[in-house]
Amino acid sequence: MVKIILNGCFGRMGKVITEIVKENNECEIVAGVDAFSQGQSDFPIYKNIDDVKEKADVIIDFSNPSALDNLLNFATNNKSAIVLATTGYNDEQISKIKEYSKKIPVFFTFNMSLGINLLTALAKKAASILGNDFDIEIIEKHHNQKLDAPSGTALMLANSINEVFDDSLQYEYDRHSKRQKRSKKEIGMHSVRGGTIVGEHEVIFAGKDEVITLSHSAASRTVFANGAVKAAIFMSKKEPNLYDMKSIIF
């Protein structure tokens, strides 16, 4: 039985993960951490990760990028694997995640959905086939409570595509102030925020007289929670390294 500490247990994603784990006979939540909310739970709740007394194989984090340092230190001190499912990390934090993966098993991805990770692979393959003859635009849509833009998933898609072009393409986030033709050396990034949209991502390859569109739409947060639980079970016996969804599905 894989023992899990759930950071952000009273958040939207934390609540979904809790329900999924209840139905899973391969894992259990032994403790939860939530600094901002209070509520009833079947497992002990702490306001700070450093106060947790229970031992766990894996930490799942669905909280806030500001929690990263404490989580990485706690995981290192307790020899736990960690699944980082939070979005909005900056470049410095991503570098720190990579550095800590030399000490502990770290699972890090911009999106926990199996479908999104398949979309990323398909977009990269399409870019390698279509080459420079097609303009590339990415549109992402999320609920009106999301803080970061563009989404981490949109950046993951762009980064994967850009690898095909040796990272030579620039990301264009805002064209309204420019009066000039679109450059061939760019990927357009567009963010929509509204209502309760869970998550929609669309990659457009626009060529001469034809358009190819790859898309993914999440109907509920369950797809992300399922991915996080799968990742936690996968990580429970791993050696220190940096893992992502490709480690599971490919």
Side-chain angles (χ1 to χ4, degrees), residues 4 24 36 53 58 60-62 71 92 109 111 130 138 152 159 167 169 181 185 187 199 216:
I4 297 170
N24 193 309
F36 305 107
K53 302 177 179 63
V58 187
I60 297 179
D61 175 47
F62 257 115
L71 287 169
E92 182 181 347
T109 181
N111 193 298
L130 300 174
I138 297 174
N159 291 342
D167 294 325
L169 302 183
K181 292 182 179 180
K185 302 292 288 183
I187 298 177
H216 176 273

Side-chain angles (χ1 to χ4, degrees), residues 22 45 50 52 117 168 207 215-216 230:
K22 284 181 181 179
I45 303 295
D50 293 325
V52 175
N117 283 273
S168 63
S215 65
H216 176 273
K230 287 180 185 293

